[in-house]
Amino acid sequence: MNSLISRVSVMFRDCSFPVYIYLPDQGAFYQVVAGQHEKVPVPVTMKSYLDSDETFFQSFKKGETMMSFYFLRSVHEGERVVVMINSDKNRKHLNSVARSFYGVMAEAQESVRVLRHSRMKMMKLLDGLKMPLFSVSSEYLIINVNKALADFLGIANIPQIIGKKCYEVIHGRTEPCSFCRMAEIIAGENVGSQNIRIEKDGETRHFEHHMFPVYDQTGELNEFGEFMFDITENFQLVQSIEKYKERVKTFQKAEVDKMNEIGDLKKAYKDLEKNYDEVFLKNRKMSKALEKLFADDNINELLKLRQENKDIKNKLVRSATALKNFQSTLELQQEKYNDLSKRTVYQLERLINTVNKKSVVTDKELGTLLKMVTDEIKSVRRHLKLEAPPESD
């Protein structure tokens, strides 16, 4: 109600005549000077006029001076208000002041109606929010809530939440939460958002929590607002990302290894390409040299010389082969000759021994010996391929 006195007092900040404000329902009487109000005792002589809703003007004679008072009556937010004005000075402005007062009070009444309507709409908007929103007192008592908080708590009757300890109803604790920022806000510090966890029905829910001060019309801090964004899905997504982070690193490492391998292959390919280019260049040079040889008509002589060399080489190979065969045959004949000579010598020595042992040689034995000698001589001639001597007469 002090705010009502302040609003009414401001309307008379430019008045040079005495102004008083009386609140019949409270029995409070205020003197207004330059728009500032001060509580003073109710004048005994004016009490009955102030309480009477029928009195709007009253005159008094004080000595030789006639004093007149106007009573401006109105009702604001269900509270009766009486403004008493002393009209002994600047009386010509009273009518305009009265009209201004009634106009301002009427506007105030309309503002109250609009404000109430606006607040009703605002409450509907707040109830339409999907995030839990509420306010608490400095004693942690819940003052206001929206429907989202009631739905989150599973409480159909919202008034059941009002007046309860926030840490008990919302967080299921027996003492204020460790993450509460009320002390920082009271100290005038700026607080930001924070992430909190709430265990609900055996499930852990994650929220982005915000807390802010709420001031009344006099600028006093008397409430603390709070709202929470459900970030459970995002939190789980972050956990999933962290969970697969190592896999991604492993995959990236494998990809890097592949890239390195590809780099090595590219380098090898470039080296091969370079070697190919060098070989191709050499081939071109050889082709040009051959073309030049063909152009100079020297290639035919070269090919002819190569063919002659080939023929000579073949002849030499054949000659060497024939010589080798002849040598082998000669060695074989030599071996046969040696064997024949040894056998012949053996037979002759045997014949001589036989003859030496006999004192008398018969014609038959002599014929046998002669035949043996003749056969050996024929055998030697045959092996040596000698012609027989001509027969003598």
Side-chain angles (χ1 to χ4, degrees):
M1 190 51 65
N2 291 334
S3 60
L4 174 60
I5 293 297
S6 300
R7 292 198 299 271
V8 176
S9 300
V10 171
M11 292 189 296
F12 300 96
R13 62 178 177 271
D14 296 328
C15 294
S16 58
F17 46 81
V19 177
Y20 304 90
I21 300 174
Y22 178 61
L23 304 177
D25 298 333
Q26 298 183 21
F29 190 76
Y30 299 88
Q31 180 180 358
V32 179
V33 178
Q36 300 296 322
H37 60 275
E38 180 183 3
K39 191 173 184 179
V40 297
V42 181
V44 178
T45 57
M46 305 299 293
K47 183 71 167 62
S48 59
Y49 303 112
L50 291 170
D51 289 332
S52 176
D53 293 337
E54 303 298 329
T55 302
F56 291 92
F57 176 78
Q58 186 65 40
S59 296
F60 298 92
K61 188 174 183 181
K62 186 177 181 181
E64 298 298 328
T65 304
M66 194 71 178
M67 299 183 67
S68 299
F69 293 88
Y70 282 85
F71 299 89
L72 308 178
R73 302 179 184 275
S74 181
V75 178
H76 183 70
E77 297 183 1
E79 182 76 15
R80 292 184 298 161
V81 181
V82 180
V83 178
M84 186 178 71
I85 300 175
N86 187 346
S87 64
D88 59 341
K89 294 181 180 180
N90 296 328
R91 193 173 300 167
K92 62 181 180 179
H93 298 298
L94 280 177
N95 290 334
S96 61
V97 170
R99 286 194 299 269
S100 176
F101 171 76
Y102 284 119
V104 169
M105 295 304 291
E107 290 178 1
Q109 292 289 347
E110 179 63 19
S111 297
V112 170
R113 187 189 67 80
V114 173
L115 180 60
R116 286 176 177 172
H117 183 67
S118 177
R119 287 180 64 84
M120 291 177 63
K121 284 187 174 181
M122 183 60 67
M123 289 304 299
K124 290 182 179 180
L125 289 174
L126 295 179
D127 284 339
L129 294 176
K130 298 300 181 183
M131 61 179 180
L133 173 66
F134 58 98
S135 65
V136 298
S137 67
S138 57
E139 291 78 22
Y140 304 99
L141 297 176
I142 298 176
I143 300 174
N144 295 296
V145 300
N146 69 341
K147 189 174 182 299
L149 178 63
D151 292 341
F152 175 73
L153 298 177
I155 299 176
N157 189 6
I158 293 180
Q160 291 181 358
I161 308 174
I162 305 300
K164 302 291 182 64
K165 297 285 188 179
C166 60
Y167 55 81
E168 292 179 352
V169 176
I170 300 175
H171 302 282
R173 301 171 182 263
T174 58
E175 57 184 13
C177 304
S178 59
F179 57 80
C180 184
R181 314 304 293 274
M182 186 181 295
E184 290 93 329
I185 294 176
I186 293 175
E189 299 179 12
N190 292 326
V191 297
S193 63
Q194 58 185 342
N195 294 338
I196 64 172
R197 295 187 307 172
I198 298 179
E199 301 294 334
K200 182 67 175 175
D201 299 331
E203 180 184 1
T204 302
R205 304 284 294 277
H206 297 266
F207 291 88
E208 181 181 308
H209 176 261
H210 296 259
M211 195 170 184
F212 55 92
V214 179
Y215 301 93
D216 62 11
Q217 294 176 345
T218 62
E220 296 292 332
L221 175 60
N222 60 357
E223 289 185 50
F224 302 87
E226 297 183 51
F227 61 91
M228 304 182 297
F229 288 110
D230 191 340
I231 59 172
T232 303
E233 184 176 351
N234 293 340
F235 184 83
Q236 292 174 348
L237 180 60
V238 171
Q239 281 190 325
S240 298
I241 293 174
E242 290 294 331
K243 182 178 180 181
Y244 291 103
K245 191 174 182 179
E246 293 301 324
R247 295 186 181 180
V248 172
K249 286 183 179 179
T250 304
F251 176 77
Q252 287 179 341
K253 184 178 182 302
E255 290 299 316
V256 169
D257 293 339
K258 288 182 180 179
M259 291 177 65
N260 293 334
E261 184 178 355
I262 292 174
D264 295 338
L265 291 175
K266 285 184 177 180
K267 184 177 181 301
Y269 175 77
K270 287 183 178 179
D271 294 340
L272 181 62
E273 186 179 18
K274 181 180 179 181
N275 293 334
Y276 173 79
D277 292 339
E278 292 177 355
V279 171
F280 183 76
L281 183 62
K282 290 180 180 179
N283 185 47
R284 289 187 61 184
K285 290 181 178 179
M286 291 179 64
S287 298
K288 288 183 178 180
L290 289 174
E291 290 177 359
K292 185 175 181 182
L293 288 174
F294 279 115
D296 295 341
D297 201 17
N298 294 328
I299 190 64
N300 292 329
E301 296 180 4
L302 179 63
L303 293 176
K304 184 177 179 181
L305 290 174
R306 285 185 177 180
Q307 184 63 35
E308 290 178 354
N309 289 336
K310 185 177 180 180
D311 294 340
I312 293 172
K313 184 177 180 180
N314 291 334
K315 290 180 180 179
L316 289 174
V317 169
R318 288 196 298 271
S319 298
T321 302
L323 180 61
K324 184 176 181 180
N325 294 335
F326 176 77
Q327 185 176 1
S328 299
T329 302
L330 181 62
E331 291 177 353
L332 182 61
Q333 292 294 332
Q334 185 68 33
E335 184 178 357
K336 289 180 178 181
Y337 174 77
N338 291 334
D339 291 342
L340 181 62
S341 297
K342 289 178 180 180
R343 192 178 64 178
T344 302
V345 171
Y346 174 76
Q347 292 293 340
L348 291 176
E349 288 178 348
R350 181 181 175 187
L351 179 62
I352 293 172
N353 290 333
T354 302
V355 173
N356 288 332
K357 290 179 179 182
K358 289 181 177 293
S359 57
V360 179
V361 179
T362 63
D363 293 336
K364 184 179 180 180
E365 292 176 342
L366 183 62
T368 302
L369 292 173
L370 183 60
K371 183 178 182 302
M372 182 184 297
V373 171
T374 302
D375 291 338
E376 289 296 328
I377 291 173
K378 288 182 180 180
S379 177
V380 171
R381 286 182 178 277
R382 185 170 58 254
H383 285 287
L384 294 179
K385 298 181 178 179
L386 297 176
E387 294 181 358
E391 294 181 0
S392 59
D393 294 336

